[in-house]
Amino acid sequence: MDDILFASERFVGLLLPLAVLLIVYIVTKILRRVLYSRLNRWAKHTATDIDDILIEATQRPSVFWCLMAAIYFAVQSSRLPDSAMVLAHRLLAAAFIASFTWVAATLATRLIRSRSQRLSGALPFTSLSENISRILVFGLGGLMMLNGLGISITPILATLGVGSLAVALALQDTLSNLFSGVHITIAHQIKIGDYVKLETGEEGYVTDINWRTTQIRMLPNNVVLIPNSKLTQAIVTNYYLPEKEMSVTINVGVHYNSDLERVERVTCEVAKEVMKEVPGGVPAFDPFIRFHTFNDFSVDFTAILRAKEFADQYLIKHEFVKRLHRRYAKEGIVIPYPIEAVNYEQENGPGSRGREA
């Protein structure tokens, strides 16, 4: 009889925590669904995107939080020994800190991305900024989790302080690239999407800045990896500073018999058409030309147009040359071939034989 009573009490002792676990989990899941349904409807009517980021980052982990809440109440209703109860509480606290750390890291990266897109003075979103924010959040969360488990973090911090010197000496090149990458990111002189050209000749769009290298995608679709420390010491031309728009210069030469006033008028008319009709041109810009050289066989000038960004100049030059050549042919304006003229009168004039003798 005593065995039956003992077995029944044990069964009830197991059944009660399981029932509490199931009931609490179902209730919290229902509350979660109602809460996020209202939050999503509310977020659609707000101007800021911060609430959307918060809801998206916490919606999935909230299922895990419901389960942890159910486990907590189930443990509270159980008849576990005090030592087991303390261990269970510490494990639950560590699990909650770990999940919260993951959510905080996700929020940090998404907020940095959002702010960098909206504010030009914000920290640019790169692999380096993403990794630094994640490392800081996970490092802080790891220390809090160890403290929650009852592990003293003071010796760990002391060990890290002493070991940091040895790590710094062993990883001089790596740390040099790391801090150079931080400098490049914060200085805003080279940003993701900028078109840059190095003194060594490499040029292209900056696609990423990570802890070691800066990636530049060249126009042939090749990727150049440049160590951050080398990039900070190089002479770099950034075609997106102070703005993306840039002048497009095209050298042209016309025959000496040409009416230069007419040449200027016709050339500017063609350039205006290009600015208005060719993608990448700046319609509001008024093109102009400047004569500058009496060359061996032509009067040379430079036509100045304007492109919205660096890569647009190629199509603008292409269309301008085609249209200008067609218009010159229609107007009778001659673009001379390279020639070499010999003055026979001067060569055969008086004194020429004397010179030959």
Side-chain angles (χ1 to χ4, degrees), residues 227-241:
N228 294 329
S229 59
K230 299 291 184 182
L231 185 61
T232 55
Q233 299 173 6
I235 298 175
V236 182
T237 302
N238 191 336
Y239 289 97
Y240 279 15
L241 290 180

Side-chain angles (χ1 to χ4, degrees), residues 132-317:
I132 288 178
S133 62
R134 283 184 176 274
I135 289 172
L136 291 176
V137 173
F138 279 122
L140 182 60
L143 293 175
M144 293 175 61
M145 188 169 60
L146 292 175
N147 189 51
L149 290 173
I151 301 174
S152 178
I153 63 175
T154 303
I156 298 177
L157 295 176
T159 303
L160 291 175
V162 174
S164 60
L165 179 60
V167 173
L169 293 175
L171 302 176
Q172 291 185 29
D173 293 339
T174 301
L175 292 177
S176 175
N177 287 318
L178 174 61
F179 287 112
S180 296
V182 173
H183 168 72
I184 293 171
T185 302
I186 295 177
H188 293 277
Q189 295 174 342
I190 299 176
K191 303 185 293 296
I192 302 297
D194 287 358
Y195 192 95
V196 299
K197 181 177 181 179
L198 277 64
E199 59 180 332
T200 52
E202 294 86 357
E203 61 178 272
Y205 291 97
V206 179
T207 57
D208 193 19
I209 302 172
N210 55 44
W211 63 272
R212 184 178 178 275
T213 61
T214 296
Q215 298 180 10
I216 297 179
R217 180 175 58 83
M218 303 178 70
L219 291 181
N221 207 28
N222 302 321
V223 174
V224 179
L225 302 178
I226 304 171
N228 294 329
S229 59
K230 299 291 184 182
L231 185 61
T232 55
Q233 299 173 6
I235 298 175
V236 182
T237 302
N238 191 336
Y239 289 97
Y240 279 15
L241 290 180
E243 60 182 357
K244 289 186 178 181
E245 287 189 9
M246 59 173 292
S247 297
V248 179
T249 59
I250 305 171
N251 293 321
V252 186
V254 295
H255 198 278
Y256 271 91
N257 293 334
S258 303
D259 182 353
L260 299 186
E261 294 290 341
R262 185 159 164 261
V263 168
E264 181 176 9
R265 176 178 57 79
V266 171
T267 305
C268 289
E269 289 176 358
V270 174
K272 290 178 181 178
E273 292 178 1
V274 171
M275 289 289 93
K276 293 179 180 179
E277 299 176 5
V278 177
V282 181
F285 180 73
D286 191 13
F288 59 94
I289 72 171
R290 291 293 181 264
F291 293 98
H292 54 74
T293 305
F294 289 105
N295 213 332
D296 294 336
F297 51 86
S298 62
V299 178
D300 293 347
F301 64 90
T302 299
I304 295 90
L305 294 80
R306 199 162 185 84
K308 292 182 179 179
E309 61 172 286
F310 183 88
D312 294 330
Q313 65 174 314
Y314 299 107
L315 181 58
I316 290 174
K317 289 180 179 180

Side-chain angles (χ1 to χ4, degrees), residues 19-39:
V20 171
L21 175 67
L22 184 61
I23 293 172
V24 173
Y25 182 71
I26 293 174
V27 170
T28 53
K29 281 275 289 184
I30 294 173
L31 292 176
R32 169 189 171 275
R33 178 173 296 182
V34 173
L35 175 63
Y36 277 99
S37 177
R38 293 187 177 182
L39 287 176

Side-chain angles (χ1 to χ4, degrees), residues 52-112:
D52 299 296
I53 295 174
L54 289 171
I55 294 171
E56 184 180 357
T58 59
Q59 192 162 3
R60 288 187 177 180
S62 62
V63 178
F64 181 66
W65 295 338
C66 293
L67 179 60
M68 285 194 298
I71 294 175
Y72 173 79
F73 285 104
V75 170
Q76 291 295 105
S77 62
S78 67
R79 298 176 182 178
L80 293 174
D82 292 341
S83 58
M85 191 76 73
V86 172
L87 179 60
H89 288 167
R90 287 183 176 180
L91 291 176
L92 285 172
F96 176 78
I97 293 173
S99 64
F100 182 78
T101 301
W102 181 267
V103 172
T106 303
L107 284 174
T109 55
R110 292 184 181 180
L111 287 174
I112 290 174

Side-chain angles (χ1 to χ4, degrees), residues 324-333:
L324 188 66
H325 184 269
R326 183 169 60 247
R327 182 68 182 276
Y328 276 6
K330 181 179 179 181
E331 297 287 341
I333 299 174

